[in-house]
Amino acid sequence: MADTPADTATLNDNDNQVHSRHVDDVVLRAEAEFEALSRQLTKHSQSGQVSKRVVSGDLEKADEEEEEAFDLREYLTSSNDANQKAGIKHKNVGVTWEDLQVEVFGGAESKLYVGTLGGATLGFFLGPILWLWGIVSGLLGLVKLPPTKPILHKSSGVLKPGEMCLVLGCPGAGCTTFLRTIANRREGYVNVSGNVLYAGIPADEMQKNYKGEVVYNQEDDIHIPTLTVGQTLKFALSTKTPGPNGRLPGMSRKDFDSEVQDTLLRMLNIPHTKNTLVGDEFVRGVSGGERKRVSIAEMMATRARVQCWDNSTRGLDASTALDFVRSLRVMTDILGQTTFVSLYQASESIYDLFDKVLVLDKGHQVFYGSASEARAYFENLGYKPLPRQTTPDYLTGCTDENERQFAPGRSVHDVPSSPEALDSVYRTSPFGRTNDDDLEKYKLKMDTEKHDQEAFRAAVADDKKRGVSRRSPYTLGFSGQVWALTKRQFQTRLQDRFQIYTSFTLNIALAFVLGAAFYNQPTSSNGAFTRGSVIFGALLTTCLDAFGEMPSQMIGRPILKKQTEYSFYRPSAIAMANLFADIPFSALRIFFFNIIIYFLSGLHRSAGGFFTFHLFNYVAYLVMQAFFRMFGLITFSYDSAFRLAVFFIPNFVQYTGYVIPVDSLRRWIFWIYYINPIAYAWQACMMNEFMRISLTCDGNSITPRNGFGVTKYPDQLSGNQACTLFGAQGGSDVISGRDYLRVGYNIDPKDLWRLNFVVLVAFFLAFQIAQLLALEFYPQYGYMGSVNIFAHENDELRRLNEAQRAKKEAQKKNDKLEKEIQVTTKESLDKGVDLSQRRTLTWERLNYHVPTPDGPRRLLHDVLGFVKPGTLTALMGASGAGKTTCLDVLAQRKNIGVVSGDVLVDGRPLPADFARGTAYAEQMDVHELTATVREAMRFSAYLRQPQHVSKEEKDAYVEEMIELLELQDLSEALVFSLNVEARKRLTIGVELASKPELLLFLDEPTSGLDAQSAWNLVRFLRKLADQGQAILCTIHQPSSLLFESFDRLLLLERGGETVYFGEIGQDSQIIRDYFARHGALCPPNVNPAEYMLEAIGAGVTARVGDRDWKDVWLDSPEYRRTVEEIEAIKREGLAKPERHRADTSTYATSFFHQLRLVSQRNTLALWRMPDYIFTRLFVCTFISLFISLSLLQLGNSLRDLQFRVFAIFWVVVLPAIVMTQIEPLFLHNRRIFIREASSRIYSPYVFAIGQVLGEIPYSILCGFLYWVIMVYPIGFGDGAAGTNGTGFQLLIIIFMVLFGVTLGQLVAALSPSVQVAVLMNPFIGLVLSTFCGVTIPYPTMLKFWRVWLYELNPYTRTLAAMVSTELHGLVIRCKADEFAVFDPPSGQTCDQWAGEFVQRFGGYIDNLNDTIACRYCQFKVGDEFYTPLNIKYGNRWRDAWILFAFFVFNLLVTIIASRFLRYAKR
């Protein structure tokens, strides 16, 4: 009989020692509750009923209907009797690591530098050469690997089941690296050496077969923001629900999931969020602390036995953080888990819950042993503890060379203080030797007994759904995973109603527009080519609609990575799920599109004809959707995917056999036609249509004919006239549709099903399989931020960085406790600060209601308070109590809901410069990703400090901020490469750089910082307050020392109710007395910040006392004094003279100053995004190249004339492709602008103009490259305009690229998301290209479209200017197969019979004096082609400047949209 965790204090520990600190009253209560709950459920199971409560136990999935024995004690109390009865094996997994070392690229001083456009361009051309050299040098053994450096030095230890280990260290110590490596997350590291065993199982086997049993919870919270909390957890549980061997008899899978979900929500105290969106920075959802608990619940749902938690209390209040760690303690004890946790700012209460502590210093293991003995170990080494310093702070501080202090009589000379020295001392200490001995004993036990390992393997196998391989790391089979994912993806799409409405509306509108453009095509020769046009247009619309799939593949990568690491599903399952979830929407959308365009345009009206057309159109859509998704999956970035797509799109369009007939394709690129899926779909749709109809030859297809006053020719086709339609037979005016296809396109309708359908299905399967393989074996997750990327230094930056390093070295030599940080600006205030000119913010009766599906919900209720100049006020409360909401309301950041109450400055309404006079360091870190730390802070200082302050003074202040926030080593690091903690420092620095005149708001500034960094920050805030700054700051988990640094406290409880507002006092005495007076006496050894949250019921424990604390507050004398003080503040403020309105401008700097700085930042950002600009140049170059290769050195034949027009027509396709690349970047930049605009840094007009100005130089270069590769290889300039005409073409192409850029930005400015923006592109592109007068010739266009849409179309002007310039005066000479051949009546020459026709209609007869086989060429000169199309050579300059006016129009609308449409609800 196996021992269970319930039998021993620490599993498999022969000492049987009792860990007294585990059994505090809360843990005992929790265990008692678990026991009672387990008994309750067991009783219910025996009676066939399902309990309404279940704890988070075995959370895996099964679909079988039959219910088999399941005993919940395995997951709650691990009852021995119940285990025997159910036959369930234990999953006890002890972890050993021996000589574990992790290395990354880079020597001791090496840095990785950001790429630029120049480097990307050079790399593209040298890439093939370097690739070949790499192969050759590898074969010759000449390859030198880049240097590596260890970031985690050799570390060893053992953690047994039922034990918890706290991992401590300063930022950069290697805590995250250690946790990731223990959790088997080794990607991103060059080399991981050493031996890690899990119950004796090697790491590689664990990763292959059991990776879901070893999980890592990262610091960032990554979720689908548009799913609710309940939906997020439901999906996680659906992939981890146990099979029938793991559930109570009578409990179905659905009931089990529901009960576990409710229990998880109750355990983490967030049941009220079940139907609330998870949200993110820009989607309103749960609070930051609640979102963190969603991440915790999601990982708990994995039921993993080895859990690594990386700073998972970030964003949680002190009480909730303690509750969370207590829950981990209970689950570790009862379930036998092995738990590693790294925490910043851990309280003493939290520390006491751990068995072991691991202390790291720059990757060195400087201590690993019993948590209760760690403090004494470091004290014996000679380190001095500070008063009221918690043990975690003390241990971390011992590794911080700037903050540690030595015991009296000791110094750095006789105390081991370097990481290497501490590591060496530990290894030779009794603790090190004990650790080595424990490790060897446990390894020996695992090698010899193997009981835990065998039980673990058996338990995991038993949990799987039937049919799942025993070697699979997944609980569900592949089909079950796909089904669970399909439901989630369908839910996500269904809840994005805006995108659904937009996509359906645009598709239906486009169908009506195209259908109306080709309305009711006749079954005559006039309707032959246009039938092909409508089929081609419909097919191209649906296929290129799938182009928008690529961005969506990029967006979900972080979530995919996290959930596949949790073993929720195979990566490849998401590909199938996306397909199935999308089919209901895409099938319905394309069905509506097809039915409208098919019957409106007059295609063959039969059920068979329509459904065959719809089938091929939809299958072609699925093929192209799979094709573009494949690119989105196999490429590292969106720009790489975009380049690949552009490589294929022009070929797909021009090699369908419609634009360039098959017989006209050049032999050496003919093969592209056969690998083009759109070609097979177009052929099939053409076959489907023309095999059902016959065409009558009439109208323009008859030569010669009557018209323009000529009446001599027969009205019906005669023997002396020719029908120019493909497949025409001499003497007959009826042409079979089959003959038309055979002669004109070499298409045989017999291939409809036997070839085209089969090939399309094969393409679909190939692309879908490619997606599965790419996800499974070549997953791309984007940039993994394990290393910092730096920008190159110039002389000025090198000098500044050397000065920062010198200061840092000087500080290291200073052993004083207080290291004064001087804020040296001209405005720096001395001890006698004059606060008379400073203003005070007050708020009374502050209420805030938000709309919900169930009606308005109140988040704040009658909150009151004030912030005086020179004071530091803390805003505290439970997670979800409304702290961030209160800050948002006070900072005027809310744009939805209803705010009521009075928010006043000196008793007056908020002035116009309120947003500018305040700074708000938000919880979410949103920055320009390509800026360096110094650039981001300078940008804030330049635009937010008054313009009269000199640049030198602003730069000096920024240097002070860099020093204060200890960002000296990262000053040139790019923001996107910073870790969470560094980004948080930067967010604070950006706001501090603004030197707010009125008030500084900070939302959880210490979250994510280690204890010493948090202390330094709060100490600096204290200094700012002492110099007159008013500061309001939410704070989580403050130590006693931190808490005392604040002057006042605003304490909120759930519902946004005020519990206390007033002074804190020395040693927190005032607030202690307040709570003690009402029955909540804080023990002297307890942190008052933690205690008061527990007292008001912030955590899972009940509140102290029988009255609600908000009622206690309202009845207290402190409340009355606060009301009186607010009234006094208002009276004093109103007595002061009102500020002059000229001093209250919205922005601190002028419009042109803003524009210059914003444009400079945008230009630099684009230069540092080489992929983005290089992709643009690639697009322009390769589209032009592909067209030119197909149309090299055109002559002056009739077909060459058409090809010249076709080459010009591609210029109007260019904007549609450019738009697709522009939109994601614009929307990303708008997210940054929304954050910056809240602080009135710069105006929306500056944002919009700056976006365009940054693009202009590259757009001109793009247009130039397109022009060079188009004009000369094709042979433009043979007309009367000559080479001057080709220069004019360059101007038009540049205008078109600029138009495309601004049109993309316009669409993005009008759209709430990338997914919606890309939906607009096919609609805009198809409409503009259809009604420009070429696709549908101007004479045949319906008058309705001709009188407005044709005239308002910018493409009309583009084509008119370019076509007239190229064809003006171009002499046309038909080739032999291009003539229309007819016999004149007997006795007449060709001139006599058709001369009058030629004079009226143009063209020429090649053999005027012949009496048979007259050869008529349709055009004699290029002007005859474009004149009927309403194009005039004399209007080309007018058309050019009208096109430029459209560019200006786009810019103006973008500016207006940026001002009024931001789609940021908060």
Side-chain angles (χ1 to χ4, degrees), residues 21-32 326 1094 1101:
R21 63 182 174 280
H22 297 177
V23 288
D24 65 6
D25 59 331
V26 177
V27 175
L28 287 174
R29 282 203 306 272
E31 290 183 347
R326 281 170 172 163
E1094 288 194 15
T1101 54

Side-chain angles (χ1 to χ4, degrees), residues 576-642:
M576 299 304 298
N578 280 331
L579 171 67
F580 295 140
D582 186 63
I583 282 177
F585 300 102
S586 61
L588 195 61
R589 187 176 72 244
I590 291 174
F591 178 77
F592 288 152
F593 176 84
N594 285 341
I595 201 169
I596 293 168
I597 203 168
Y598 188 89
F599 291 105
L600 205 56
S601 60
L603 298 181
H604 189 265
R605 291 188 170 100
S606 67
F610 168 72
F611 283 107
T612 303
F613 171 82
H614 173 62
L615 174 65
F616 277 96
N617 203 322
Y618 187 58
V619 170
Y621 169 80
L622 293 178
V623 169
M624 296 309 297
Q625 183 187 57
F627 179 76
F628 288 125
R629 281 180 175 172
M630 179 184 70
F631 283 162
L633 295 174
I634 66 175
T635 50
F636 179 79
S637 66
Y638 175 71
D639 290 309
S640 304
F642 192 77

Side-chain angles (χ1 to χ4, degrees), residues 760-778:
L760 278 174
V761 171
F763 270 122
F764 169 72
L765 293 176
F767 294 146
Q768 200 65 38
I769 291 170
Q771 287 184 61
L772 302 181
L773 295 176
L775 281 164
E776 205 64 42
F777 301 106
Y778 188 63

Side-chain angles (χ1 to χ4, degrees), residues 193 204 259 261 320 366 529 959 1012 1310 1393:
S193 58
D204 53 353
E259 300 292 347
Q261 181 188 103
T320 305
V366 299
F529 187 77
E959 295 307 307
Q1012 193 57 52
L1310 295 172
W1393 170 243

Side-chain angles (χ1 to χ4, degrees), residues 682-842:
W682 179 76
Q683 284 180 30
C685 292
M686 289 288 283
M687 294 173 190
N688 173 60
E689 175 65 18
F690 283 95
M691 73 182 187
R692 302 173 189 274
I693 63 172
S694 294
L695 303 167
T696 304
C697 190
D698 62 0
N700 294 335
S701 300
I702 298 176
T703 303
R705 60 186 178 274
N706 295 322
F708 298 109
V710 179
T711 58
K712 63 183 285 187
Y713 305 108
D715 290 330
Q716 299 296 322
L717 184 68
S718 69
N720 301 116
Q721 295 167 296
C723 181
T724 58
L725 194 65
F726 295 132
Q729 304 291 330
S732 172
D733 64 349
V734 177
I735 301 100
S736 163
R738 292 174 181 268
D739 291 339
Y740 174 77
L741 293 179
R742 177 177 51 80
V743 176
Y745 299 101
N746 195 25
I747 293 175
D748 185 356
K750 292 179 182 178
D751 292 333
L752 177 65
W753 297 106
R754 70 183 184 187
L755 175 66
N756 292 286
F757 185 72
V758 172
V759 170
L760 278 174
V761 171
F763 270 122
F764 169 72
L765 293 176
F767 294 146
Q768 200 65 38
I769 291 170
Q771 287 184 61
L772 302 181
L773 295 176
L775 281 164
E776 205 64 42
F777 301 106
Y778 188 63
Q780 296 291 308
Y781 297 123
Y783 175 74
M784 303 296 295
S786 57
V787 293
N788 296 121
I789 309 294
F790 294 85
H792 290 280
E793 299 174 334
N794 57 25
D795 291 339
E796 181 208 0
L797 298 179
R798 197 172 294 111
R799 177 177 54 78
L800 290 172
N801 290 331
E802 286 173 359
Q804 289 283 9
R805 283 191 288 271
K807 285 184 183 179
K808 191 174 180 180
E809 287 300 318
Q811 281 190 0
K812 287 181 182 178
K813 298 174 183 177
N814 185 0
D815 291 331
K816 291 166 61 180
L817 174 61
E818 288 292 331
K819 297 177 178 61
E820 298 296 334
I821 300 169
Q822 302 298 328
V823 183
T824 55
T825 68
K826 289 180 182 177
E827 285 86 18
S828 290
L829 301 169
D830 57 23
K831 298 284 184 179
V833 178
D834 179 15
L835 301 179
S836 61
Q837 299 304 312
R838 299 275 185 154
R839 295 174 291 167
T840 302
L841 180 75
T842 63

Side-chain angles (χ1 to χ4, degrees), residues 931-959:
T932 66
V933 167
R934 179 178 278 113
E935 288 166 356
M937 294 172 69
R938 281 185 170 185
F939 183 79
S940 177
Y942 291 164
L943 287 175
R944 298 173 72 177
Q945 291 186 28
Q947 197 163 347
H948 63 76
V949 179
S950 69
K951 177 179 180 294
E952 292 74 18
E953 199 168 338
K954 293 175 181 177
D955 287 345
Y957 190 77
V958 166
E959 295 307 307

Side-chain angles (χ1 to χ4, degrees), residues 896-1075:
I896 60 170
V898 178
V899 178
S900 61
D902 297 327
V903 181
L904 305 172
V905 174
D906 275 353
R908 296 183 175 91
L910 300 183
D913 67 342
F914 177 78
R916 177 167 70 82
T918 59
Y920 188 179
E922 299 188 35
Q923 197 173 138
M924 300 295 183
D925 307 311
V926 180
H927 302 282
E928 168 55 59
L929 297 180
T930 58
T932 66
V933 167
R934 179 178 278 113
E935 288 166 356
M937 294 172 69
R938 281 185 170 185
F939 183 79
S940 177
Y942 291 164
L943 287 175
R944 298 173 72 177
Q945 291 186 28
Q947 197 163 347
H948 63 76
V949 179
S950 69
K951 177 179 180 294
E952 292 74 18
E953 199 168 338
K954 293 175 181 177
D955 287 345
Y957 190 77
V958 166
E959 295 307 307
E960 297 289 348
M961 294 302 100
I962 290 174
E963 182 184 355
L964 158 76
L965 295 166
E966 298 176 4
L967 290 167
Q968 299 99 321
D969 295 335
L970 297 173
S971 61
E972 303 310 316
L974 270 64
V975 172
F976 74 82
S977 70
L978 298 177
N979 60 25
V980 174
E981 179 257 348
R983 282 204 310 271
K984 175 58 69 178
R985 293 170 189 251
L986 175 61
T987 299
I988 296 165
V990 164
E991 298 305 317
L992 291 177
S994 69
K995 294 183 70 177
E997 179 267 336
L998 177 60
L999 190 63
L1000 173 60
F1001 296 101
L1002 300 105
D1003 192 6
E1004 298 179 28
T1006 60
S1007 292
L1009 302 184
D1010 66 295
Q1012 193 57 52
S1013 299
W1015 166 240
N1016 286 341
L1017 176 65
V1018 173
R1019 186 174 60 181
F1020 176 71
L1021 295 178
R1022 179 70 266 166
K1023 289 180 183 294
L1024 286 180
D1026 291 342
Q1027 293 172 352
Q1029 182 70 62
I1031 302 173
L1032 178 60
C1033 167
T1034 66
I1035 190 161
H1036 282 170
Q1037 307 170 40
S1039 65
S1040 301
L1041 213 56
L1042 278 186
F1043 189 53
E1044 286 176 29
S1045 301
F1046 292 87
D1047 298 298
R1048 288 188 180 85
L1049 169 69
L1050 172 58
L1051 182 61
L1052 300 178
E1053 69 176 9
R1054 286 187 186 86
E1057 303 282 359
T1058 305
V1059 169
Y1060 177 81
F1061 178 80
E1063 295 185 4
I1064 295 173
Q1066 182 69 28
D1067 198 26
S1068 308
Q1069 194 59 49
I1070 295 177
I1071 195 168
R1072 284 172 182 263
D1073 291 344
Y1074 174 81
F1075 277 92

Side-chain angles (χ1 to χ4, degrees), residues 278-508:
V278 176
D280 60 11
E281 307 96 303
F282 301 98
V283 176
R284 187 172 64 86
V286 298
S287 70
E290 290 166 343
R291 192 176 299 116
K292 172 58 69 178
R293 282 179 275 174
V294 174
S295 300
I296 292 168
E298 184 181 41
M299 192 169 111
M300 284 181 170
T302 63
R303 198 186 55 98
R305 281 301 180 260
V306 179
Q307 298 182 356
C308 298
W309 302 88
D310 192 358
N311 197 21
S312 295
T313 60
R314 185 180 70 132
L316 302 183
D317 62 83
S319 177
T320 305
L322 180 58
D323 287 337
F324 162 61
V325 180
R326 281 170 172 163
S327 297
L328 285 183
R329 178 75 263 173
V330 172
M331 295 175 71
T332 302
D333 286 341
I334 297 176
L335 305 180
Q337 294 174 172
T338 308
T339 308
F340 296 84
V341 184
S342 76
L343 296 176
Y344 289 156
Q345 306 175 54
S347 67
E348 198 69 32
S349 303
I350 288 177
Y351 181 80
D352 287 342
L353 294 170
F354 286 90
D355 304 286
K356 301 283 186 71
V357 62
L358 171 66
V359 183
L360 295 172
D361 185 4
K362 294 181 180 175
H364 289 270
Q365 178 176 313
V366 299
F367 182 83
Y368 178 65
S370 171
S372 60
E373 298 174 302
R375 188 178 190 118
Y377 170 78
F378 280 95
E379 288 178 359
N380 291 336
L381 287 181
Y383 289 100
K384 174 186 175 184
L386 301 179
R388 290 177 298 171
Q389 189 178 36
T390 63
T391 302
D393 290 358
Y394 169 70
L395 297 178
T396 306
C398 289
T399 65
D400 188 336
E401 56 191 12
N402 294 319
E403 303 302 333
R404 63 190 171 202
Q405 295 190 37
F406 301 109
R410 308 293 296 273
S411 71
V412 69
H413 302 295
D414 59 1
V415 175
S417 52
S418 69
E420 294 79 9
L422 285 167
D423 190 337
S424 176
V425 167
Y426 167 72
R427 290 182 185 279
T428 57
S429 71
F431 291 99
R433 291 193 296 271
T434 301
N435 181 43
D436 293 338
D437 187 50
D438 289 345
L439 175 61
E440 291 304 320
K441 286 181 179 177
Y442 195 78
K443 283 172 59 183
L444 180 64
K445 182 175 182 179
M446 291 297 99
D447 287 340
T448 54
E449 295 185 10
K450 290 188 180 294
H451 172 76
D452 278 355
Q453 184 183 135
E454 292 167 0
F456 169 75
R457 293 181 191 273
V460 172
D462 289 344
D463 284 339
K464 296 182 188 298
K465 180 185 174 184
R466 284 178 182 155
V468 179
S469 168
R470 293 177 68 89
R471 293 184 175 274
S472 170
Y474 304 100
T475 306
L476 271 179
F478 186 74
S479 60
Q481 296 169 21
V482 170
W483 175 237
L485 276 166
T486 299
K487 289 190 288 186
R488 186 193 74 178
Q489 298 300 93
F490 180 83
Q491 213 164 34
T492 305
R493 284 169 167 78
L494 190 63
Q495 288 176 191
D496 193 351
R497 299 296 171 84
F498 189 90
Q499 185 176 357
I500 293 174
Y501 297 151
T502 304
S503 61
F504 273 78
T505 302
L506 288 174
N507 259 265
I508 291 171

